[in-house]
Amino acid sequence: MVKKYDWYPADDAAKKAPKRHTPKAPKLRASIAPGTVLILLAGRFRGKRVVCLKQLKSGLLAVTGPYKVNGVPLKRVNQVYTLSTSLKVDVSAVKAAVTDETFAKEAKAKRSRSQKFFAENAPKSTTSDARKKLQKEVDSAILGKLKDKMQLKYLGARFSLTKNDAPHAMKF
């Protein structure tokens, strides 16, 4: 037995698209502000100290080493993977516009089958000149504000914990 309906939808009636949730950028942690020195907790540069430049539209943080001091380039980092310190660096001199589009991947050349198999023939990945120029602009502005030798040494030093360290009791 089939239930009879009084009304049937038309085949050509436009159906409303469901509302999609667009995620908003997360709120910035109270201990993080532009100029705060952060310790990276994950990734290739874990344990390195970096200077926070700003929060991007995506919610990620734009940070830099400076590259000359500790080898960390201008990069994006999720604030979850950082530890805030009490040291602040003046970043008001940084005039370079850093956005999420700055970090977009460049189109790479297609690799042939032999290049995929033999690694030595593969095209080398290089950093673009625009990216190098941006890195120099940002680093020179930050290094100009770092006059104290101890601050430079602190930024260059790597952070690590040993067996008897209690991170919850530390003041960074």
Side-chain angles (χ1 to χ4, degrees), residues 143-157:
L143 288 172
K145 298 292 181 176
L146 290 172
K147 298 292 183 205
D148 192 10
K149 293 264 189 221
M150 284 302 284
Q151 286 182 342
L152 282 171
K153 221 172 178 177
Y154 178 72
L155 282 172

Side-chain angles (χ1 to χ4, degrees), residues 37-144:
V37 173
L38 307 170
I39 298 170
L40 298 180
L41 299 176
R44 179 176 168 201
F45 300 105
R46 69 182 157 273
K48 298 272 190 164
R49 292 177 172 95
V50 293
V51 178
C52 175
L53 299 175
K54 68 178 188 177
Q55 185 179 27
L56 303 169
K57 274 195 173 154
S58 63
L60 300 173
L61 303 174
V63 298
T64 185
Y67 187 79
K68 193 175 183 181
V69 176
N70 58 12
V72 181
L74 187 65
K75 61 185 279 131
R76 292 182 297 184
V77 176
N78 191 330
Q79 65 181 340
V80 173
Y81 302 112
T82 62
L83 213 157
S84 308
T85 65
S86 57
L87 180 64
K88 296 237 189 270
V89 177
D90 184 19
V91 291
S92 60
V94 178
K95 301 290 183 222
V98 180
T99 61
D100 283 312
E101 288 75 45
T102 307
F103 300 99
K105 294 264 187 202
E106 295 153 6
K108 291 200 298 186
K110 292 273 187 189
R111 297 187 335 170
S112 67
R113 272 182 77 171
S114 64
Q115 286 176 332
K116 287 177 187 173
F117 188 75
F118 299 108
E120 66 268 3
N121 296 342
K124 302 281 184 244
S125 62
T126 58
T127 308
S128 69
D129 293 333
R131 193 70 173 267
K132 288 178 185 174
K133 185 177 174 236
L134 179 66
Q135 183 73 53
K136 278 187 181 160
E137 284 176 29
V138 171
D139 284 0
S140 61
I142 291 174
L143 288 172

Side-chain angles (χ1 to χ4, degrees), residues 2-15:
V2 179
K3 184 177 179 185
K4 293 189 177 184
Y5 290 100
D6 295 331
W7 178 83
Y8 292 97
D11 290 337
D12 59 349
K15 292 179 181 162

